[in-house]
Structures are given as C-alpha cells and as structure tokens.
Amino acid sequence: MKKILALALTALVLLSICSLSVADEKKTLTVWVPQYQFSKAEDAVSDADFWNGWFDAFEAENNCEVNVEILPWSDYNTTIYTGLLNNDGPDVVYVTDTYDLVSNGLLLKLDDKLTQEQKDNFLKWEDGAKDKDGNHYSIAFPGGPVLLFYNKDILAEAGVEIPEDTWTWEEFIDACKTVVEKTGKKAFVQNWGASSGTSALLTAFWPFFNQAGGSILNENGEVDFNTEAALQTVQFLKDLYDAGIFDESITAETDMAGKFNAGEVAFYCVGDTSGINSATKNGINYGLKIGLKGPAGIATRGTGDSYAVAAKAVERGNEELAVKALLLMNSAEVQDDFHNKVYAFPNATRDAKRVYNEQLDALYLQYSDGIRNIPDFEGKASFENQVQANVQLMFMGDLTPEEVLTETMDYYENQIKQ
C-alpha cells in the first residue's frame, strides 16, 4: 500500500513539474518592419536596435521572445504577402498595400481587440485597412505627404520667381525651361527607373493625378484609368519630356535625392521628412510647396502605412500577445521615440507629446483637402508596375498618352483583375 502511495505521489510530482514546464514555456513572437534608418552617422540608432530595445521589457513582462526582422523596401509587398501565407511568417507586420491581404484573410480583424478609447486615440484609425463591411484590420499612422522641393539658389540664378502659393503646370514648365536655359542644370527629375511601380508612382504620378482631380475608383468602386484626369496627368508628363526638361535617361532615373542634394537639380518631389532631413544635412538652400496647381487645384499624394496582426497568429496561439505588441509599437511613447531617433513622421496619436513641425503643421492644415491618399484596390501593385512600364514606353516614343491609358486598362482587365 505504501509502495502504491509512493508511486502515486511521485506521479503527482512529475505531473506538477511538467505542468510548470508547460506554463513557463516561452512563446516566440515574430515582428516584421521595413528599414527606416538610413543615416550613416556613428550615433544613428538602427531599426533593429530601436525595436529590440523597446521589446526588452515586453519580453520580460510577457515571458516571451520577440524576433524583430528588418526588411528592405525592395519588393516589400511581395515579401510580406508571401510571409503572411506561411506558418513561419510574422505575427505583427508593417503593411503598405492591403487590399489583397484583407481580401485573402491574411490579417486579424481588430475591431473587438481594442477599446473605443484606444481607437479614438489613433488619429488615423479610420484610414486603416478595412473590408467592404467596414471591419478594421490595421492601425494606420500619418506618413508625411509628398511635397515639391526647390533649390532657392538655382532659381535665383535663373531669375525664376517663387509664387506665394505655387506654380501652375504651365508656369512650372516655363520655370523649368528657364532653369535649363539660364543655368545649364537639370530642372526637374522623377524616379521612373524605380525598382517598382509603387515607388515610382508615389512621387512621379499620383501627386499630379490628384492635382488633375483624379479618382482611380469610379462610383461603383471599380478601377477606371480611362478618365480625363488620368489623360491630363500623362499628357503633362509627356509635355515635360517634349519641352526638354526630361531626356531619354528619365526611364532609368533613380537618384532624385542624390542630384537635388548635390545642388545639380532645381526641383524634385519627395516625402516631407526625407526631403527636409537630407536637404538640411547637405546644406541645400531649399524651399517647399505642397505641390503644383493642376487643372483641379493644389494637391498632392498623402501617404499612410499601418501596422497589423497576422491571421496566422491565432493558429500559433499568439493572438493576445501580438495585439499587445501591436499596441506597444503604436503607443505615443514608442512612436515619439521612433520619430526622434529613427525617422520623423507626424504624430499618430492624440496623446503624443512630440511637436512635429510647426511650419508643416500650418501648411497641412491650409491644404488638408488637397492631401489625398490613393485607395487600395485589387492588384494595385501590379497595376502600378504596368503604369510605370507604359509611361516609360511613352517617353521612348512607343506609346501615346491615350495608349498609356488604354494599354494599362486592357492589361488590368485581362491580366490582373480576378
């Protein structure tokens, strides 16, 4: 009897030890974010060091291990789409184009994971990824819009006057021609040689499309590129080429910032923070405008990416932990620190304490209606690749502006759209 009791006690002890072992087993959480720290300064904080530093306390508090992976921007959308399909992909992920991610069920619905107070604190909550029923799948933040930067010294040398608001499309072409004639320098560059259509169109097409009053989705929510605004935009690009402002090298151009910050070019378009930081660092006497004044007025392309939780986090048993990590990454404390140490964006939450930029804040308020995002839609990345390819063909003389539209829509309808 005593032997049986002893065996029973031994079994209970072993069971208890096994239970404690299971309880103490650490979960592993995987976080994917893109690179934002490009500074080569010795005191620059890398993306990995920044996020790992903030996750140290999180790991101790939640008895977990967080693996942070910093991804390059090249083919970013393809990389995260593939990763979200796989069992060993991310639990928390920085997302850009989200249509395919939401429509294929790759992201976790967040509506019942956050309190109303938390949702109200995020300034761009309504701009996050949503499905057709209005369910939310990501926490968006306000990225800086694309602005028109100009070199004051080059314009002064050319005798080009700087308007109080901005240049019309026609005035801009005249100003560029004057710069070339009077200084012999390049007037304006765009990155039509970018590694993806998404990168190219961000600064080289969508701002001008918005200035033409364009809407890529029609009243039925379907992609429509055969519009007057799209034609005006493509024709404007051809006019720049025909005026000698662009040359045959435009189809391979990738170094807009390098040329502008070396004082070799008068105008270029780029996100506010990137443009300000690099121009200041390189001692460029610069000015900036929201954009040009197109047929529909002054406008530009707004930017706003977001953070999300992978649907597969549920299968891994990481759902609750991933949502906690998501909220930490988007908290005012973390984002304020990110903006100060890694890359500056406008504030993302109502309780943020960092002052972004008083001059830009006033400018954004004045032109808030003209800062418009391009909505996600089915096959957007492939569509943008096709627009880039067809505009390049136009610059090479193989397509007319009208054919850019028809060829793009034909490809979209027959090759991209499901």
Side-chain angles (χ1 to χ4, degrees), residues 149-225:
F149 282 74
Y150 56 90
N151 185 310
K152 292 181 179 180
D153 294 336
I154 293 178
L155 296 190
E157 181 184 352
V160 172
E161 293 187 6
I162 301 170
E164 183 176 347
D165 51 6
T166 192
W167 294 268
T168 65
W169 283 2
E170 295 78 11
E171 291 169 345
F172 183 72
I173 290 177
D174 288 340
C176 287
K177 290 166 66 175
T178 300
V179 166
V180 174
E181 178 185 346
K182 299 293 186 181
T183 71
K185 296 179 179 177
K186 279 186 174 291
F188 183 44
V189 288
Q190 292 184 318
N191 60 330
W192 285 103
S195 60
S196 72
T198 297
S199 296
L201 269 61
L202 173 64
T203 59
F205 187 86
W206 294 128
F208 309 97
F209 182 74
N210 283 342
Q211 291 159 21
S215 175
I216 195 61
L217 302 180
N218 62 24
E219 58 185 13
N220 297 319
E222 299 172 337
V223 173
D224 187 0
F225 200 52

Side-chain angles (χ1 to χ4, degrees), residues 27-28 83-84 86-91 310 312-319:
K27 289 181 178 292
T28 298
L84 288 167
N86 296 331
N87 291 327
D88 58 352
D91 295 293
K312 283 188 177 292
V314 179
E315 298 176 19
R316 302 182 191 116
N318 286 344
E319 177 182 359

Side-chain angles (χ1 to χ4, degrees), residues 200-338:
L201 269 61
L202 173 64
T203 59
F205 187 86
W206 294 128
F208 309 97
F209 182 74
N210 283 342
Q211 291 159 21
S215 175
I216 195 61
L217 302 180
N218 62 24
E219 58 185 13
N220 297 319
E222 299 172 337
V223 173
D224 187 0
F225 200 52
N226 264 322
T227 64
E228 179 63 21
L231 180 59
Q232 289 174 327
T233 306
V234 176
Q235 183 63 55
F236 175 60
L237 296 174
K238 187 174 188 301
D239 290 344
L240 288 166
Y241 187 91
D242 291 343
I245 297 161
F246 294 157
D247 57 31
E248 62 277 2
S249 67
I250 192 65
T251 59
E253 182 62 68
T254 61
D255 192 28
M256 301 185 303
K259 290 181 172 63
F260 183 83
N261 292 311
E264 299 172 357
V265 66
F267 297 100
Y268 88 127
C269 294
V270 70
D272 57 1
T273 300
S274 176
I276 290 171
N277 289 350
S278 57
T280 301
K281 178 182 177 181
N282 288 278
I284 300 299
N285 183 20
Y286 73 91
L288 52 83
K289 302 290 185 182
I290 281 289
L292 297 175
K293 184 186 296 183
I298 300 172
T300 191
R301 197 260 202 232
T303 57
D305 295 341
S306 55
Y307 294 88
V309 171
K312 283 188 177 292
V314 179
E315 298 176 19
R316 302 182 191 116
N318 286 344
E319 177 182 359
E320 182 178 350
L321 195 62
V323 172
K324 281 186 180 180
L326 178 77
L327 291 173
L328 171 68
M329 295 173 73
N330 286 277
S331 66
E333 186 178 16
V334 172
Q335 285 299 313
D336 282 350
D337 196 35
F338 184 87

Side-chain angles (χ1 to χ4, degrees), residues 71-81 195-196 199 385:
L71 306 182
W73 280 107
S74 178
D75 293 325
Y76 185 78
N77 291 326
T78 301
T79 301
I80 61 173
Y81 184 85
S195 60
S196 72
S199 296
N385 287 340

